[in-house]
Amino acid sequence: MPPSRVIVVGAGPAGLMAAGQAAARGAETLLLERMERPGRKLIITGRGRCNLTNSSPLAEFIPHFGRQGDFLRQAFHRFFSDDLIGFLTDRGVATVTERGGRVFPASQAAGEVARAMVRWVEECGAVIRTHSRVTRLRIEGGRVMGVHLGAAGVERADAVVLATGGISYPETGSTGDGQRLAAAAGHAIEPLRPALVPLVTAGDTARRLQGLSLRNVRAGLRLDGRRGAEEFGEMLFTHFGVSGPIVLTLSGRAVDALRAGSEVALAIDLKPGLDERQLDARLQRDLQAAGRRRFATILKELLPRKLIPVCADLTGIATEMPGHQIDAAQRRRLGRWLKDFRLPVTGHRPPAEAIITAGGVSLREVDPRTLESRIVPGLHFAGEILDLQADTGGYNLQAAFSTGWLAGRAAAGVRENAD
Ligand SMILES: Cc1cc2nc3c(=O)[nH]c(=O)nc-3n(C[C@H](O)[C@H](O)[C@H](O)COP(=O)(O)OP(=O)(O)OC[C@H]3O[C@@H](n4cnc5c(N)ncnc54)[C@H](O)[C@@H]3O)c2cc1C
């Protein structure tokens, strides 16, 4: 007998998908959202363009979630990127695939995805109730039996899906309620911390470079002096430190290393296309040809304008020095700096400014086949509330949609065939 009533808490991508699935499977479904409308975070994703998934195959997709990726195998086997693209196309949202396999709505409008989801949920027969904040789970005889809505009373249910997101961008409604509700029900919560977050660097170097965007550079972490992960691409200097795609990708590891008390630095290779020998030969040639031209003028061919005074300060070579006076030791110092521009990382921006939250409901206590709690029968989890986080590129939204799909069906009593 399928449960007659399912409550889904949180109308983000995970909750919308879960509610639609549960209702489409015949359950009387109520989707509770604390904000004034559903999908507040969804509409700001991908700078308003919504990078909804990635076209890379499963074997390449899963490693983007790190060690926890395997947990998602069951959900992805049942509802993956092709299914999501087909699902949205059937609902009038055409998609385009861009560089790096990133998939966006062809309209380039995240709002279109949110509207299509809401329409579908309502067509499936689920009721969406906004301004409804769940404050407590109702648990009777060890089983979830509904939710408390503060002064608004109790809503009873045979199954509950918690899809309340993480703690980043709290103005969208995600403030960690779900993790607190799960903890009160006995679930272990992996510490919540920011991931895909800008990093704070020491001194005033970043502030001097504020607004400068570097393309085609390689940046790597140095953790207690040892080489860590590296990324190639684009980064940005801000008034407090560094941001941009490659910094965000590296940030999760930097945050964890800082929490562990390690010394963290970012090493930027400004000339990744040349090895040290090739770069030295090029510098030698440039300096010989330079004659009386000033160091600052020579650097114009090597660096963006904003980096020139910083380079001069950090290499100790005066901007006024004529090229022919720069000796071999100075040239080698310049070469080393161009390959290893080091910025000590002293911290990170707060979780509120992170694209996603690392940590959450521990995966050990959730069945990956149904996303049901192993502690409280009838309770399911979907989306960022779980201890899952991935790189940028559409992976996080796909995880939200896929876990929502599976949790919604399981909450409605559908048993998928085991793999
Ligand atoms: C600026 C930004 C850009 C992003 N861009 C991308 C991108 O392009 N591609 C990508 O893959 N990922 C992106 N992400 C990440 C992605 O948005 C999240 O991973 C995804 O939204 C998680 O979905 P969710 O449904 O689990 O949670 P959320 O989207 O956070 O939704 C949770 C919902 O639960 C509601 N809620 C919370 N507590 C309660 C409660 N007690 N009672 C009732 N309702 C409650 C909240 O109001 C919210 O509506 C981006 C994130 C940010 C912040």
PDB file of all heavy atoms in Angstrom, residues 4-41:
ATOM      1  N   SER A   4      -0.404   7.298   1.917  1.00  0.00           N
ATOM      2  CA  SER A   4      -1.441   8.145   1.334  1.00  0.00           C
ATOM      3  C   SER A   4      -1.000   9.603   1.316  1.00  0.00           C
ATOM      4  O   SER A   4      -1.459  10.381   0.500  1.00  0.00           O
ATOM      5  CB  SER A   4      -2.742   7.996   2.107  1.00  0.00           C
ATOM      6  OG  SER A   4      -2.480   8.164   3.486  1.00  0.00           O
ATOM      7  N   ARG A   5      -0.089  10.012   2.210  1.00  0.00           N
ATOM      8  CA  ARG A   5       0.237  11.431   2.277  1.00  0.00           C
ATOM      9  C   ARG A   5       1.754  11.632   2.409  1.00  0.00           C
ATOM     10  O   ARG A   5       2.380  11.055   3.304  1.00  0.00           O
ATOM     11  CB  ARG A   5      -0.482  12.066   3.464  1.00  0.00           C
ATOM     12  CG  ARG A   5      -0.457  13.565   3.371  1.00  0.00           C
ATOM     13  CD  ARG A   5      -1.576  14.193   4.163  1.00  0.00           C
ATOM     14  NE  ARG A   5      -1.822  15.533   3.700  1.00  0.00           N
ATOM     15  CZ  ARG A   5      -1.559  16.631   4.415  1.00  0.00           C
ATOM     16  NH1 ARG A   5      -1.079  16.545   5.622  1.00  0.00           N
ATOM     17  NH2 ARG A   5      -1.790  17.811   3.904  1.00  0.00           N
ATOM     18  N   VAL A   6       2.305  12.474   1.528  1.00  0.00           N
ATOM     19  CA  VAL A   6       3.741  12.786   1.563  1.00  0.00           C
ATOM     20  C   VAL A   6       3.897  14.289   1.769  1.00  0.00           C
ATOM     21  O   VAL A   6       3.217  15.079   1.102  1.00  0.00           O
ATOM     22  CB  VAL A   6       4.434  12.375   0.237  1.00  0.00           C
ATOM     23  CG1 VAL A   6       5.872  12.894   0.186  1.00  0.00           C
ATOM     24  CG2 VAL A   6       4.419  10.859   0.066  1.00  0.00           C
ATOM     25  N   ILE A   7       4.777  14.662   2.690  1.00  0.00           N
ATOM     26  CA  ILE A   7       5.127  16.079   2.848  1.00  0.00           C
ATOM     27  C   ILE A   7       6.563  16.264   2.389  1.00  0.00           C
ATOM     28  O   ILE A   7       7.456  15.497   2.782  1.00  0.00           O
ATOM     29  CB  ILE A   7       4.960  16.543   4.309  1.00  0.00           C
ATOM     30  CG1 ILE A   7       3.458  16.680   4.620  1.00  0.00           C
ATOM     31  CG2 ILE A   7       5.673  17.880   4.554  1.00  0.00           C
ATOM     32  CD1 ILE A   7       3.146  17.169   6.009  1.00  0.00           C
ATOM     33  N   VAL A   8       6.770  17.250   1.540  1.00  0.00           N
ATOM     34  CA  VAL A   8       8.126  17.607   1.108  1.00  0.00           C
ATOM     35  C   VAL A   8       8.436  18.967   1.717  1.00  0.00           C
ATOM     36  O   VAL A   8       7.616  19.898   1.607  1.00  0.00           O
ATOM     37  CB  VAL A   8       8.234  17.651  -0.433  1.00  0.00           C
ATOM     38  CG1 VAL A   8       9.647  18.041  -0.855  1.00  0.00           C
ATOM     39  CG2 VAL A   8       7.848  16.302  -1.036  1.00  0.00           C
ATOM     40  N   VAL A   9       9.587  19.087   2.355  1.00  0.00           N
ATOM     41  CA  VAL A   9       9.958  20.350   3.011  1.00  0.00           C
ATOM     42  C   VAL A   9      11.045  21.032   2.185  1.00  0.00           C
ATOM     43  O   VAL A   9      12.152  20.498   2.055  1.00  0.00           O
ATOM     44  CB  VAL A   9      10.461  20.103   4.451  1.00  0.00           C
ATOM     45  CG1 VAL A   9      10.668  21.440   5.166  1.00  0.00           C
ATOM     46  CG2 VAL A   9       9.502  19.220   5.224  1.00  0.00           C
ATOM     47  N   GLY A  10      10.725  22.192   1.609  1.00  0.00           N
ATOM     48  CA  GLY A  10      11.710  22.942   0.823  1.00  0.00           C
ATOM     49  C   GLY A  10      11.423  22.843  -0.659  1.00  0.00           C
ATOM     50  O   GLY A  10      11.442  21.748  -1.224  1.00  0.00           O
ATOM     51  N   ALA A  11      11.122  23.994  -1.294  1.00  0.00           N
ATOM     52  CA  ALA A  11      10.786  23.991  -2.723  1.00  0.00           C
ATOM     53  C   ALA A  11      11.937  24.506  -3.574  1.00  0.00           C
ATOM     54  O   ALA A  11      11.799  25.419  -4.378  1.00  0.00           O
ATOM     55  CB  ALA A  11       9.521  24.807  -2.966  1.00  0.00           C
ATOM     56  N   GLY A  12      13.121  23.925  -3.356  1.00  0.00           N
ATOM     57  CA  GLY A  12      14.240  24.138  -4.275  1.00  0.00           C
ATOM     58  C   GLY A  12      14.149  23.073  -5.362  1.00  0.00           C
ATOM     59  O   GLY A  12      13.133  22.361  -5.454  1.00  0.00           O
ATOM     60  N   PRO A  13      15.196  22.930  -6.189  1.00  0.00           N
ATOM     61  CA  PRO A  13      15.131  21.923  -7.250  1.00  0.00           C
ATOM     62  C   PRO A  13      14.880  20.509  -6.718  1.00  0.00           C
ATOM     63  O   PRO A  13      14.110  19.750  -7.314  1.00  0.00           O
ATOM     64  CB  PRO A  13      16.505  22.026  -7.928  1.00  0.00           C
ATOM     65  CG  PRO A  13      17.342  22.922  -7.063  1.00  0.00           C
ATOM     66  CD  PRO A  13      16.411  23.734  -6.249  1.00  0.00           C
ATOM     67  N   ALA A  14      15.498  20.162  -5.571  1.00  0.00           N
ATOM     68  CA  ALA A  14      15.321  18.808  -5.026  1.00  0.00           C
ATOM     69  C   ALA A  14      13.882  18.609  -4.559  1.00  0.00           C
ATOM     70  O   ALA A  14      13.241  17.597  -4.875  1.00  0.00           O
ATOM     71  CB  ALA A  14      16.302  18.567  -3.876  1.00  0.00           C
ATOM     72  N   GLY A  15      13.351  19.579  -3.819  1.00  0.00           N
ATOM     73  CA  GLY A  15      12.004  19.443  -3.276  1.00  0.00           C
ATOM     74  C   GLY A  15      10.929  19.486  -4.356  1.00  0.00           C
ATOM     75  O   GLY A  15       9.938  18.752  -4.299  1.00  0.00           O
ATOM     76  N   LEU A  16      11.118  20.346  -5.354  1.00  0.00           N
ATOM     77  CA  LEU A  16      10.140  20.425  -6.449  1.00  0.00           C
ATOM     78  C   LEU A  16      10.083  19.085  -7.181  1.00  0.00           C
ATOM     79  O   LEU A  16       8.998  18.557  -7.451  1.00  0.00           O
ATOM     80  CB  LEU A  16      10.519  21.555  -7.411  1.00  0.00           C
ATOM     81  CG  LEU A  16      10.255  22.979  -6.895  1.00  0.00           C
ATOM     82  CD1 LEU A  16      11.019  24.011  -7.724  1.00  0.00           C
ATOM     83  CD2 LEU A  16       8.749  23.299  -6.923  1.00  0.00           C
ATOM     84  N   MET A  17      11.268  18.540  -7.477  1.00  0.00           N
ATOM     85  CA  MET A  17      11.290  17.259  -8.186  1.00  0.00           C
ATOM     86  C   MET A  17      10.667  16.159  -7.326  1.00  0.00           C
ATOM     87  O   MET A  17       9.886  15.331  -7.813  1.00  0.00           O
ATOM     88  CB  MET A  17      12.739  16.904  -8.561  1.00  0.00           C
ATOM     89  CG  MET A  17      12.890  15.637  -9.356  1.00  0.00           C
ATOM     90  SD  MET A  17      11.947  15.666 -10.902  1.00  0.00           S
ATOM     91  CE  MET A  17      13.170  16.306 -12.051  1.00  0.00           C
ATOM     92  N   ALA A  18      10.983  16.160  -6.029  1.00  0.00           N
ATOM     93  CA  ALA A  18      10.447  15.125  -5.132  1.00  0.00           C
ATOM     94  C   ALA A  18       8.929  15.235  -5.048  1.00  0.00           C
ATOM     95  O   ALA A  18       8.211  14.223  -5.137  1.00  0.00           O
ATOM     96  CB  ALA A  18      11.073  15.271  -3.738  1.00  0.00           C
ATOM     97  N   ALA A  19       8.410  16.455  -4.908  1.00  0.00           N
ATOM     98  CA  ALA A  19       6.961  16.631  -4.761  1.00  0.00           C
ATOM     99  C   ALA A  19       6.222  16.189  -6.023  1.00  0.00           C
ATOM    100  O   ALA A  19       5.208  15.492  -5.953  1.00  0.00           O
ATOM    101  CB  ALA A  19       6.654  18.095  -4.437  1.00  0.00           C
ATOM    102  N   GLY A  20       6.756  16.582  -7.183  1.00  0.00           N
ATOM    103  CA  GLY A  20       6.114  16.191  -8.440  1.00  0.00           C
ATOM    104  C   GLY A  20       6.100  14.678  -8.593  1.00  0.00           C
ATOM    105  O   GLY A  20       5.086  14.079  -8.971  1.00  0.00           O
ATOM    106  N   GLN A  21       7.219  14.046  -8.286  1.00  0.00           N
ATOM    107  CA  GLN A  21       7.296  12.586  -8.419  1.00  0.00           C
ATOM    108  C   GLN A  21       6.331  11.891  -7.469  1.00  0.00           C
ATOM    109  O   GLN A  21       5.652  10.941  -7.850  1.00  0.00           O
ATOM    110  CB  GLN A  21       8.729  12.101  -8.151  1.00  0.00           C
ATOM    111  CG  GLN A  21       9.706  12.410  -9.270  1.00  0.00           C
ATOM    112  CD  GLN A  21       9.315  11.746 -10.585  1.00  0.00           C
ATOM    113  OE1 GLN A  21       8.653  10.707 -10.618  1.00  0.00           O
ATOM    114  NE2 GLN A  21       9.707  12.359 -11.685  1.00  0.00           N
ATOM    115  N   ALA A  22       6.286  12.351  -6.221  1.00  0.00           N
ATOM    116  CA  ALA A  22       5.405  11.707  -5.237  1.00  0.00           C
ATOM    117  C   ALA A  22       3.944  11.859  -5.680  1.00  0.00           C
ATOM    118  O   ALA A  22       3.176  10.894  -5.655  1.00  0.00           O
ATOM    119  CB  ALA A  22       5.617  12.330  -3.855  1.00  0.00           C
ATOM    120  N   ALA A  23       3.585  13.072  -6.131  1.00  0.00           N
ATOM    121  CA  ALA A  23       2.197  13.302  -6.542  1.00  0.00           C
ATOM    122  C   ALA A  23       1.863  12.489  -7.795  1.00  0.00           C
ATOM    123  O   ALA A  23       0.793  11.886  -7.887  1.00  0.00           O
ATOM    124  CB  ALA A  23       1.976  14.795  -6.802  1.00  0.00           C
ATOM    125  N   ALA A  24       2.816  12.440  -8.742  1.00  0.00           N
ATOM    126  CA  ALA A  24       2.578  11.687  -9.977  1.00  0.00           C
ATOM    127  C   ALA A  24       2.422  10.196  -9.693  1.00  0.00           C
ATOM    128  O   ALA A  24       1.837   9.465 -10.486  1.00  0.00           O
ATOM    129  CB  ALA A  24       3.726  11.919 -10.962  1.00  0.00           C
ATOM    130  N   ARG A  25       2.973   9.749  -8.560  1.00  0.00           N
ATOM    131  CA  ARG A  25       2.847   8.334  -8.186  1.00  0.00           C
ATOM    132  C   ARG A  25       1.623   8.101  -7.305  1.00  0.00           C
ATOM    133  O   ARG A  25       1.483   7.096  -6.646  1.00  0.00           O
ATOM    134  CB  ARG A  25       4.116   7.830  -7.481  1.00  0.00           C
ATOM    135  CG  ARG A  25       5.374   7.943  -8.356  1.00  0.00           C
ATOM    136  CD  ARG A  25       5.340   6.942  -9.464  1.00  0.00           C
ATOM    137  NE  ARG A  25       6.008   7.191 -10.709  1.00  0.00           N
ATOM    138  CZ  ARG A  25       6.134   8.290 -11.440  1.00  0.00           C
ATOM    139  NH1 ARG A  25       5.728   9.422 -11.021  1.00  0.00           N
ATOM    140  NH2 ARG A  25       6.712   8.272 -12.599  1.00  0.00           N
ATOM    141  N   GLY A  26       0.769   9.071  -7.184  1.00  0.00           N
ATOM    142  CA  GLY A  26      -0.525   8.853  -6.519  1.00  0.00           C
ATOM    143  C   GLY A  26      -0.606   9.296  -5.079  1.00  0.00           C
ATOM    144  O   GLY A  26      -1.654   9.161  -4.450  1.00  0.00           O
ATOM    145  N   ALA A  27       0.483   9.824  -4.514  1.00  0.00           N
ATOM    146  CA  ALA A  27       0.411  10.253  -3.114  1.00  0.00           C
ATOM    147  C   ALA A  27      -0.200  11.649  -3.021  1.00  0.00           C
ATOM    148  O   ALA A  27       0.066  12.500  -3.878  1.00  0.00           O
ATOM    149  CB  ALA A  27       1.809  10.258  -2.498  1.00  0.00           C
ATOM    150  N   GLU A  28      -0.989  11.867  -1.983  1.00  0.00           N
ATOM    151  CA  GLU A  28      -1.469  13.225  -1.704  1.00  0.00           C
ATOM    152  C   GLU A  28      -0.245  13.985  -1.192  1.00  0.00           C
ATOM    153  O   GLU A  28       0.351  13.598  -0.183  1.00  0.00           O
ATOM    154  CB  GLU A  28      -2.555  13.162  -0.619  1.00  0.00           C
ATOM    155  CG  GLU A  28      -3.105  14.519  -0.264  1.00  0.00           C
ATOM    156  CD  GLU A  28      -3.902  14.472   1.039  1.00  0.00           C
ATOM    157  OE1 GLU A  28      -4.355  13.388   1.459  1.00  0.00           O
ATOM    158  OE2 GLU A  28      -4.030  15.546   1.650  1.00  0.00           O
ATOM    159  N   THR A  29       0.165  15.019  -1.932  1.00  0.00           N
ATOM    160  CA  THR A  29       1.480  15.616  -1.653  1.00  0.00           C
ATOM    161  C   THR A  29       1.366  17.094  -1.312  1.00  0.00           C
ATOM    162  O   THR A  29       0.716  17.857  -2.038  1.00  0.00           O
ATOM    163  CB  THR A  29       2.416  15.444  -2.881  1.00  0.00           C
ATOM    164  OG1 THR A  29       2.447  14.053  -3.225  1.00  0.00           O
ATOM    165  CG2 THR A  29       3.828  15.921  -2.577  1.00  0.00           C
ATOM    166  N   LEU A  30       2.026  17.457  -0.218  1.00  0.00           N
ATOM    167  CA  LEU A  30       2.067  18.859   0.208  1.00  0.00           C
ATOM    168  C   LEU A  30       3.526  19.305   0.216  1.00  0.00           C
ATOM    169  O   LEU A  30       4.370  18.680   0.874  1.00  0.00           O
ATOM    170  CB  LEU A  30       1.469  18.971   1.619  1.00  0.00           C
ATOM    171  CG  LEU A  30       1.504  20.358   2.273  1.00  0.00           C
ATOM    172  CD1 LEU A  30       0.709  21.377   1.461  1.00  0.00           C
ATOM    173  CD2 LEU A  30       0.960  20.281   3.707  1.00  0.00           C
ATOM    174  N   LEU A  31       3.824  20.369  -0.525  1.00  0.00           N
ATOM    175  CA  LEU A  31       5.192  20.905  -0.575  1.00  0.00           C
ATOM    176  C   LEU A  31       5.217  22.194   0.244  1.00  0.00           C
ATOM    177  O   LEU A  31       4.525  23.168  -0.099  1.00  0.00           O
ATOM    178  CB  LEU A  31       5.591  21.161  -2.045  1.00  0.00           C
ATOM    179  CG  LEU A  31       6.922  21.877  -2.309  1.00  0.00           C
ATOM    180  CD1 LEU A  31       8.091  21.166  -1.636  1.00  0.00           C
ATOM    181  CD2 LEU A  31       7.188  21.955  -3.823  1.00  0.00           C
ATOM    182  N   LEU A  32       5.985  22.188   1.322  1.00  0.00           N
ATOM    183  CA  LEU A  32       6.027  23.333   2.233  1.00  0.00           C
ATOM    184  C   LEU A  32       7.291  24.148   1.985  1.00  0.00           C
ATOM    185  O   LEU A  32       8.402  23.595   1.985  1.00  0.00           O
ATOM    186  CB  LEU A  32       6.003  22.845   3.685  1.00  0.00           C
ATOM    187  CG  LEU A  32       4.725  22.103   4.085  1.00  0.00           C
ATOM    188  CD1 LEU A  32       4.892  21.427   5.444  1.00  0.00           C
ATOM    189  CD2 LEU A  32       3.531  23.060   4.106  1.00  0.00           C
ATOM    190  N   GLU A  33       7.135  25.437   1.786  1.00  0.00           N
ATOM    191  CA  GLU A  33       8.262  26.329   1.507  1.00  0.00           C
ATOM    192  C   GLU A  33       8.165  27.538   2.434  1.00  0.00           C
ATOM    193  O   GLU A  33       7.127  28.179   2.511  1.00  0.00           O
ATOM    194  CB  GLU A  33       8.241  26.757   0.032  1.00  0.00           C
ATOM    195  CG  GLU A  33       9.151  27.903  -0.330  1.00  0.00           C
ATOM    196  CD  GLU A  33      10.621  27.671   0.023  1.00  0.00           C
ATOM    197  OE1 GLU A  33      11.159  26.613  -0.326  1.00  0.00           O
ATOM    198  OE2 GLU A  33      11.214  28.566   0.679  1.00  0.00           O
ATOM    199  N   ARG A  34       9.275  27.835   3.111  1.00  0.00           N
ATOM    200  CA  ARG A  34       9.220  28.928   4.085  1.00  0.00           C
ATOM    201  C   ARG A  34       9.196  30.314   3.445  1.00  0.00           C
ATOM    202  O   ARG A  34       8.688  31.260   4.029  1.00  0.00           O
ATOM    203  CB  ARG A  34      10.411  28.824   5.049  1.00  0.00           C
ATOM    204  CG  ARG A  34      11.738  28.980   4.360  1.00  0.00           C
ATOM    205  CD  ARG A  34      12.892  28.863   5.317  1.00  0.00           C
ATOM    206  NE  ARG A  34      13.029  30.089   6.092  1.00  0.00           N
ATOM    207  CZ  ARG A  34      14.096  30.405   6.801  1.00  0.00           C
ATOM    208  NH1 ARG A  34      15.114  29.569   6.843  1.00  0.00           N
ATOM    209  NH2 ARG A  34      14.161  31.524   7.452  1.00  0.00           N
ATOM    210  N   MET A  35       9.742  30.430   2.225  1.00  0.00           N
ATOM    211  CA  MET A  35       9.828  31.751   1.588  1.00  0.00           C
ATOM    212  C   MET A  35       8.505  32.097   0.897  1.00  0.00           C
ATOM    213  O   MET A  35       7.587  31.307   0.866  1.00  0.00           O
ATOM    214  CB  MET A  35      10.979  31.779   0.572  1.00  0.00           C
ATOM    215  CG  MET A  35      12.331  31.442   1.159  1.00  0.00           C
ATOM    216  SD  MET A  35      12.825  32.544   2.500  1.00  0.00           S
ATOM    217  CE  MET A  35      13.457  33.915   1.543  1.00  0.00           C
ATOM    218  N   GLU A  36       8.470  33.297   0.289  1.00  0.00           N
ATOM    219  CA  GLU A  36       7.213  33.754  -0.315  1.00  0.00           C
ATOM    220  C   GLU A  36       6.942  33.067  -1.653  1.00  0.00           C
ATOM    221  O   GLU A  36       5.819  33.088  -2.151  1.00  0.00           O
ATOM    222  CB  GLU A  36       7.209  35.289  -0.457  1.00  0.00           C
ATOM    223  CG  GLU A  36       8.108  35.886  -1.532  1.00  0.00           C
ATOM    224  CD  GLU A  36       9.600  35.763  -1.220  1.00  0.00           C
ATOM    225  OE1 GLU A  36       9.976  35.291  -0.128  1.00  0.00           O
ATOM    226  OE2 GLU A  36      10.402  36.120  -2.100  1.00  0.00           O
ATOM    227  N   ARG A  37       8.024  32.494  -2.253  1.00  0.00           N
ATOM    228  CA  ARG A  37       7.787  31.729  -3.479  1.00  0.00           C
ATOM    229  C   ARG A  37       8.843  30.628  -3.610  1.00  0.00           C
ATOM    230  O   ARG A  37       9.913  30.715  -2.986  1.00  0.00           O
ATOM    231  CB  ARG A  37       7.743  32.608  -4.720  1.00  0.00           C
ATOM    232  CG  ARG A  37       8.966  33.429  -4.953  1.00  0.00           C
ATOM    233  CD  ARG A  37       8.653  34.524  -5.995  1.00  0.00           C
ATOM    234  NE  ARG A  37       9.585  35.622  -5.841  1.00  0.00           N
ATOM    235  CZ  ARG A  37      10.747  35.699  -6.469  1.00  0.00           C
ATOM    236  NH1 ARG A  37      11.125  34.765  -7.304  1.00  0.00           N
ATOM    237  NH2 ARG A  37      11.544  36.741  -6.272  1.00  0.00           N
ATOM    238  N   PRO A  38       8.554  29.610  -4.438  1.00  0.00           N
ATOM    239  CA  PRO A  38       9.497  28.495  -4.571  1.00  0.00           C
ATOM    240  C   PRO A  38      10.718  28.873  -5.413  1.00  0.00           C
ATOM    241  O   PRO A  38      10.669  29.831  -6.186  1.00  0.00           O
ATOM    242  CB  PRO A  38       8.678  27.419  -5.296  1.00  0.00           C
ATOM    243  CG  PRO A  38       7.351  27.987  -5.600  1.00  0.00           C
ATOM    244  CD  PRO A  38       7.328  29.424  -5.223  1.00  0.00           C
ATOM    245  N   GLY A  39      11.790  28.104  -5.255  1.00  0.00           N
ATOM    246  CA  GLY A  39      12.934  28.177  -6.169  1.00  0.00           C
ATOM    247  C   GLY A  39      13.734  29.460  -6.134  1.00  0.00           C
ATOM    248  O   GLY A  39      14.285  29.866  -7.155  1.00  0.00           O
ATOM    249  N   ARG A  40      13.827  30.099  -4.963  1.00  0.00           N
ATOM    250  CA  ARG A  40      14.575  31.362  -4.874  1.00  0.00           C
ATOM    251  C   ARG A  40      16.041  31.183  -5.269  1.00  0.00           C
ATOM    252  O   ARG A  40      16.643  32.038  -5.911  1.00  0.00           O
ATOM    253  CB  ARG A  40      14.507  31.918  -3.438  1.00  0.00           C
ATOM    254  CG  ARG A  40      13.187  32.576  -3.065  1.00  0.00           C
ATOM    255  CD  ARG A  40      13.070  34.000  -3.585  1.00  0.00           C
ATOM    256  NE  ARG A  40      14.210  34.824  -3.244  1.00  0.00           N
ATOM    257  CZ  ARG A  40      14.302  35.627  -2.193  1.00  0.00           C
ATOM    258  NH1 ARG A  40      13.283  35.724  -1.369  1.00  0.00           N
ATOM    259  NH2 ARG A  40      15.377  36.338  -1.959  1.00  0.00           N
ATOM    260  N   LYS A  41      16.635  30.066  -4.823  1.00  0.00           N
ATOM    261  CA  LYS A  41      18.049  29.868  -5.185  1.00  0.00           C
ATOM    262  C   LYS A  41      18.186  29.444  -6.641  1.00  0.00           C
ATOM    263  O   LYS A  41      19.084  29.897  -7.350  1.00  0.00           O
ATOM    264  CB  LYS A  41      18.707  28.838  -4.256  1.00  0.00           C
ATOM    265  CG  LYS A  41      20.200  28.716  -4.488  1.00  0.00           C
ATOM    266  CD  LYS A  41      20.874  27.870  -3.450  1.00  0.00           C
ATOM    267  CE  LYS A  41      21.139  28.651  -2.186  1.00  0.00           C
ATOM    268  NZ  LYS A  41      21.675  27.814  -1.107  1.00  0.00           N
TER     269      LYS A  41
END
